[in-house]
Amino acid sequence: MRKASINRALLRVVGETLPAGAQLTIVDDLDLPIFNSDLTDPAGVVALKAAVAAADGVVFGIPEYNYSIPGGLKNALDWLSRPPATSPMRGKPMAIVGAASGMGGTIRAQVHMRQMLLYSDSPCLGQPEVAIPRAQERFDAEGNLTDASTRALLVRFGEAFVTFVGRYQVTPQRPPE
């Protein structure tokens, strides 16, 4: 949520390195109240659900706090996954990327995120994993990626994700001639 978030910078680079014809829209400026099933969907929730529904696939850029995902992301997942039968996440191809200053990248948070995606039956790209350690050595102060090996990983990730999403695309059936 921070404007100088290294994970926002990571998502921006993911978008820059996607194969031709694919695009990434970052959705991060939403006003989401704490989940309460007594409420009808507030405007921020409606906008988030619409963005997920319109996407062919979703990439989550997640930091790691206390060995898990941030509370705001968990809250967004709670809103997105309700009601379960009509959740825009149901069956939607997902992927997870993350960057952190420590040596573990965001691997623990990614494990928790994968568990949560099971609830909505959201298939999640398994490889290549993008859990960037020592992110402060790979991005400059303006959030620009300066590490060639990380850029190469993100190119492989983008290619794999586009292929993964393609497996879940519904092709309209033509009527018999």
Side-chain angles (χ1 to χ4, degrees):
M1 297 178 85
R2 294 180 312 110
K3 292 299 176 195
S5 165
I6 199 72
N7 285 285
R8 178 181 284 113
L10 176 59
L11 281 174
R12 184 177 40 76
V13 179
V14 166
E16 293 169 1
T17 57
L18 287 173
Q23 68 179 29
L24 180 91
T25 301
I26 297 176
V27 178
D28 64 353
D29 193 21
L30 299 167
D31 182 22
L32 304 178
I34 298 290
F35 176 75
N36 179 342
S37 60
D38 289 341
L39 301 176
T40 57
D41 288 354
V45 173
V46 171
L48 181 58
K49 285 183 175 182
V52 170
D56 292 330
V58 176
V59 178
F60 290 97
I62 60 172
E64 180 171 303
Y65 296 118
N66 300 319
Y67 297 166
S68 191
I69 68 169
L73 176 56
K74 174 63 168 82
N75 185 53
L77 291 173
D78 289 343
W79 279 113
L80 277 170
S81 64
R82 303 301 192 285
T86 59
S87 167
M89 293 177 60
R90 181 145 312 277
K92 180 82 59 174
M94 306 277 178
I96 304 167
V97 299
S101 60
M103 290 299 293
T106 59
I107 200 68
R108 291 179 187 120
Q110 290 191 29
V111 168
H112 287 176
M113 184 71 173
R114 288 177 194 284
Q115 283 180 293
M116 288 179 259
L117 292 175
L118 290 173
Y119 179 77
S120 58
D121 195 25
S122 302
C124 190
L125 179 68
Q127 295 288 328
E129 290 181 306
V130 178
I132 308 298
R134 299 183 333 266
Q136 69 280 6
E137 298 172 14
R138 299 166 192 266
F139 289 84
D140 65 20
E142 288 77 41
N144 299 305
L145 180 62
T146 58
D147 182 67
S149 66
T150 301
R151 183 169 298 278
L153 171 62
L154 295 178
V155 168
R156 285 194 329 270
F157 168 83
E159 291 167 349
F161 187 59
V162 167
T163 298
F164 182 71
V165 167
R167 291 187 213 149
Y168 294 91
Q169 296 300 304
V170 176
T171 305
Q173 297 293 323
R174 293 185 346 170
E177 295 179 17

